[in-house]
Amino acid sequence: MGIVVLTMKASVIEMFLVLLVTGIHSNKEMTKIKRPKFNVPQINCDVKAGKIINPEFVVKCPAGCQDPKYHVYGTDVYASYSSVCAAAVHSGVLDNSGGKILVRKVAGQSGYKGSYSNGVQSLSLPRWRESFIISEGKPPKGVTYPSALTYSSPKSQAAKAGETTKAYQNPSVPGTTAEPVTLMQVPGTTLVKATHTTLPKPSLSAGSTTSSPRLQPVGHRSWELDLWSTITYTSSQNSPRGNPGFVPKEELSTQSLEPISQGDPNCKVDLSFLMDGSASIGKRRFRIQKQFLADIAQALDIGPAGPLMGVVQYSDNPATQFNLKTHMNSQDLKAAVEKITQRGGLSNVGRAISFVTKNFFSKTNGNRGSAPNVAVVMVDGWPTDKVEEASRVARESGINIFFITIEGAVENEKQYVMEPNFANKAVCRTNGFYSLSVQSWFSLHKTVQPLVKRVCDTERLACSKTCFNSADIGFVIDGSSSVGTGNFRTVLQFVANLSKEFEISDTDTRIGAVQYTYEQRLEFGFDMYSTKSDILNAIKRVGYWSGGTSTGAAISYALEQLFKKSKPNKRKLMILITDGRSYDDVRIPAMAAYHKGVITYAIGIAWAAQDELDIIASYPAKDHAFFVDEFDNLYKFVPKVIQNICTEFNSQPRN
């Protein structure tokens, strides 16, 4: 009896254990049903955000999307024409090994600024209709995303990869049923429901005037679909011309067209690269040099509103490979660089710099005038001719010279260098900003970003400032009775002839004028006229005053009324013209001008006193004081005054 009871108890326990295990297993199965595994869709590096209809999605990117062939437009907020995965690398969310990301569509921007980040150079773009932002691929708690993406064209990358394309569904929350997006009806069109796996291509009769809507989900921002590969339809609301109906895609849609960058407006420079084509460089290093130029072109974001670039190859003699206006975008320029063949010969750098100064930066070659001129000289080893004199002329012409010396002379080779310390004799400043020394050709790529940063720093391009475009010039004109009406007109012509020599604008040289007798009168200030023609007309209109000669008071007046309003970065030049000795003291006003940084040129005519001119003029007086015996000989001194102004400017220390 005791044995039977034990057996029954064991059976009950066994059944209980079976039921318990079965329950646990069933619970796990139920859990699996409630929380299905999320399969993250994979895309290729070349998939653009604009091709994916979903406004928010999680995807997995492959490795290798850092490649420059995958274009990115913008920084942080990217134009939807960008590669999704390359933008993820640029943003820093992914590295080049790939991974999962969360992509969210946002409104189009009025402009996108390019930048270099995490090994990817993004480009600038004036505007685009749709944008996106990227974050880490961790969905918010309680939100799931579709395992298959919806593409705007059946010929998308997804189709090629064998992915299923189906109607878009909103990210769903567990416990809710996802429904197809409801599409709102556009006036004058037929309502279409997104219930098919792909959108059929419509057939139109020749006389059809009914337009299909541009589909827009209710409750979401406006975004456009590139529905078919050959034509796009639009309502009158979206038509750029305001006309409803059929519009050819090539006229309206830009989804399938490469956006053309206008260039980085923050780096507006005219750039000449002098590449070394000598025999000593060899074929392998010449190829490295070409790759370097291509990388520079990519990093600069070439375009008509930004930097322009041309290439000169030098050897025995220099030759232009292409000029500033030949290529207006980075891609075309890179292709042109690839076609350059090595010339062979010597490394005549000085001859090449002279060639660039005389020929390259001309209007016919695309020089814009409003952009700084920059010449980057690449030298393998050292030049076979002298560069100092050629570089001096280039600097005085406003060309900013940079030197990149690769594998320069070591100690036992310096005896062969024709011109020791040649780089410092050539560049615009000897402070290291304009010189880059590279130990090996194989590390040349590391200088791409440092060079681009320096070339684009237009505020520090010192050689862009010449004696003709960097001054505020104030004329102080004697209008006393001894001058007379006829001679006064001769003085005004002298003032006009001097003014003609300068580049006049708000940002270049500015001209002002004061006339004096016992009293003083501001004829026009630095900020009144900004073109050469306006300045010359203003000079003509100056009326003769007549009176005494208080030159000291006139200098003080000019300092207060003219030069007090001079720009901080301008050289301040006072050109005083008088025909006699002053009735008041000139020493204290002249000293005040000196302390305020004003360089004074004193021009005396007829009865002017030489000793007084020397006091008024800046030191040394022999370079700043001039005496003319007759008014009619004033014109002869225009070249001398200009020469002294430029000599003084160019003699400033270059450190």
Side-chain angles (χ1 to χ4, degrees):
M1 187 71 179
I3 294 172
V4 172
V5 171
L6 287 172
T7 303
M8 289 179 65
K9 285 183 178 179
S11 299
V12 170
I13 292 170
E14 184 178 349
M15 289 177 64
F16 175 76
L17 290 173
V18 169
L19 288 171
L20 180 64
V21 171
T22 304
I24 292 171
H25 182 71
S26 298
N27 191 46
K28 285 183 178 179
E29 291 299 319
M30 289 175 68
T31 303
K32 287 182 181 178
I33 293 170
K34 288 181 181 179
R35 298 178 66 98
K37 185 178 180 182
F38 172 49
N39 294 317
V40 179
Q42 296 188 15
I43 60 173
N44 294 334
C45 296
D46 60 352
V47 173
K48 299 178 176 68
K51 287 291 183 182
I52 300 172
I53 294 176
N54 310 62
E56 195 168 343
F57 53 91
V58 173
V59 290
K60 185 175 182 180
C61 292
C65 296
Q66 197 178 50
D67 195 305
K69 70 182 179 182
Y70 306 121
H71 295 171
V72 178
Y73 300 89
T75 301
D76 297 329
V77 178
Y78 302 97
S80 63
Y81 199 81
S82 304
S83 157
V84 173
C85 296
V89 177
H90 182 273
S91 69
V93 173
L94 293 183
D95 57 24
N96 202 35
S97 61
K100 290 191 295 183
I101 57 171
L102 172 60
V103 180
R104 183 163 60 89
K105 299 284 187 72
V106 295
Q109 306 289 305
S110 59
Y112 300 84
K113 184 179 179 181
S115 66
Y116 183 84
S117 179
N118 302 307
V120 175
Q121 175 66 50
S122 70
L123 306 175
S124 299
L125 195 65
R127 63 184 63 83
W128 198 248
R129 62 176 168 264
E130 182 185 60
S131 310
F132 66 99
I133 57 177
I134 295 172
S135 56
E136 293 183 4
K138 296 179 180 178
K141 190 174 181 180
V143 179
T144 60
Y145 291 89
S147 297
L149 301 175
T150 307
Y151 287 79
S152 62
S153 170
K155 294 182 180 181
S156 66
Q157 189 66 31
K160 291 179 184 178
E163 237 182 84
T164 303
T165 304
K166 60 184 182 180
Y168 166 67
Q169 293 182 340
N170 282 312
S172 59
V173 178
T176 64
T177 304
E179 297 181 356
V181 174
T182 303
L183 302 175
M184 71 180 193
Q185 188 170 5
V186 180
T189 62
T190 305
L191 183 65
V192 179
K193 294 177 70 176
T195 56
H196 301 287
T197 56
T198 58
L199 292 169
K201 189 173 182 178
S203 59
L204 290 179
S205 63
S208 175
T209 59
T210 304
S211 63
S212 298
R214 189 172 295 278
L215 308 178
Q216 300 192 9
V218 172
H220 287 272
R221 66 195 66 81
S222 173
W223 41 278
E224 297 182 76
L225 310 180
D226 185 11
L227 298 179
W228 299 284
S229 60
T230 56
I231 57 174
T232 297
Y233 298 87
T234 180
S235 69
S236 59
Q237 179 180 350
N238 291 331
S239 173
R241 298 179 184 176
N243 297 321
F246 173 78
V247 180
K249 179 172 179 178
E250 58 270 22
E251 186 175 326
L252 173 66
S253 175
T254 54
Q255 182 85 14
S256 62
L257 300 177
E258 181 77 15
I260 300 175
S261 172
Q262 294 298 302
D264 183 359
N266 297 312
C267 182
K268 188 176 180 181
V269 295
D270 289 342
L271 176 63
S272 171
F273 262 89
L274 282 68
M275 67 184 301
D276 191 339
S278 62
S280 64
I281 193 174
K283 292 183 178 179
R284 185 180 184 185
R285 289 179 291 186
F286 189 77
R287 285 197 299 271
I288 294 173
Q289 185 178 207
K290 291 204 301 181
Q291 183 59 51
F292 176 75
L293 294 184
D295 292 344
I296 289 288
Q298 183 67 48
L300 280 173
D301 187 10
I302 302 295
L308 296 179
M309 176 175 158
V311 173
V312 171
Q313 184 182 172
Y314 70 86
S315 51
D316 291 335
N317 294 297
T320 301
Q321 301 295 315
F322 50 86
N323 63 32
L324 294 167
K325 65 180 182 181
T326 308
H327 303 293
M328 288 292 165
N329 62 73
S330 295
Q331 291 304 113
D332 289 350
L333 199 147
K334 287 166 62 179
V337 167
E338 180 58 35
K339 296 176 183 177
I340 296 175
T341 57
Q342 187 177 358
R343 294 170 62 84
L346 300 174
S347 300
N348 288 332
V349 177
R351 185 176 294 178
I353 293 172
S354 294
F355 173 83
V356 166
T357 303
K358 294 175 183 176
N359 303 291
F360 188 86
F361 290 109
S362 64
K363 191 173 182 180
T364 55
N365 284 333
N367 186 39
R368 290 173 285 185
S370 59
N373 294 159
V374 177
V376 179
V377 184
M378 303 185 67
V379 182
D380 173 46
W382 54 88
T384 52
D385 64 349
K386 293 187 176 182
V387 304
E388 184 173 11
E389 179 60 21
S391 299
R392 181 189 64 79
V393 175
R395 291 195 305 269
E396 292 178 2
S397 300
I399 300 172
N400 295 274
I401 300 179
F402 287 78
F403 254 69
I404 302 177
T405 306
I406 308 104
E407 297 181 5
V410 295
E411 196 61 40
N412 63 348
E413 293 175 325
K414 289 182 179 178
Q415 58 182 316
Y416 304 114
V417 179
M418 182 178 292
E419 193 174 28
N421 202 24
F422 61 87
N424 274 347
K425 293 178 180 178
V427 296
C428 288
R429 291 286 184 271
T430 56
N431 56 7
F433 182 78
Y434 292 88
S435 303
L436 289 164
S437 181
V438 183
Q439 298 304 311
S440 167
W441 278 96
F442 301 105
S443 59
L444 180 62
H445 65 280
K446 296 179 181 178
T447 65
V448 170
Q449 288 307 315
L451 180 63
V452 167
K453 186 176 180 180
R454 297 182 192 192
V455 165
C456 293
D457 190 355
T458 54
E459 291 298 318
R460 294 189 65 182
L461 295 181
C463 282
S464 299
K465 297 301 179 184
T466 70
C467 57
F468 298 109
N469 68 5
S470 59
D472 279 345
I473 302 176
F475 289 96
V476 181
I477 305 167
D478 184 348
S480 61
S481 302
S482 58
V483 174
T485 304
N487 288 334
F488 187 77
R489 304 316 301 175
T490 303
V491 170
L492 292 182
Q493 186 59 54
F494 174 73
V495 171
N497 290 342
L498 281 174
S499 300
K500 286 177 185 176
E501 298 295 322
F502 294 91
E503 299 170 23
I504 296 171
S505 76
D506 284 333
T507 56
D508 295 313
T509 291
R510 304 188 302 170
I511 305 290
V514 167
Q515 184 183 175
Y516 74 95
T517 57
Y518 283 125
E519 300 176 284
Q520 307 83 34
R521 182 169 72 194
L522 179 65
E523 300 293 353
F524 52 89
F526 293 136
D527 57 355
M528 191 171 294
Y529 303 109
S530 58
T531 68
K532 189 173 293 187
S533 59
D534 286 345
I535 287 292
L536 296 179
N537 287 329
I539 293 169
K540 286 180 184 178
R541 291 195 298 268
V542 174
Y544 176 47
W545 204 356
S546 186
T549 310
S550 294
T551 305
I555 295 172
S556 298
Y557 180 86
L559 293 177
E560 184 65 26
Q561 297 299 320
L562 268 181
F563 292 102
K564 193 173 183 179
K565 299 177 182 179
S566 185
K567 292 184 178 180
N569 62 336
K570 296 288 188 182
R571 294 174 71 231
K572 296 183 276 291
L573 304 180
M574 181 191 298
I575 300 177
L576 186 142
I577 308 162
T578 182
D579 79 330
R581 185 178 290 276
S582 176
Y583 293 170
D584 62 354
D585 180 63
V586 298
R587 293 177 185 273
I588 294 175
M591 186 60 68
Y594 168 77
H595 286 302
K596 291 182 179 181
V598 177
I599 301 168
T600 305
Y601 289 83
I603 301 169
I605 312 161
W607 303 281
Q610 184 68 55
D611 61 327
E612 193 171 75
L613 296 177
D614 292 346
I615 292 170
I616 295 170
S618 295
Y619 180 85
K622 65 182 181 63
D623 295 330
H624 298 86
F626 304 91
F627 180 80
V628 186
D629 55 354
E630 295 181 6
F631 282 93
D632 290 342
N633 290 329
L634 260 176
Y635 74 95
K636 297 178 182 179
F637 282 79
V638 170
K640 182 63 176 174
V641 174
I642 295 296
Q643 180 185 339
N644 285 19
I645 289 173
C646 287
T647 300
E648 182 175 44
F649 177 88
N650 295 324
S651 65
Q652 296 177 82
R654 293 195 297 115
N655 52 22

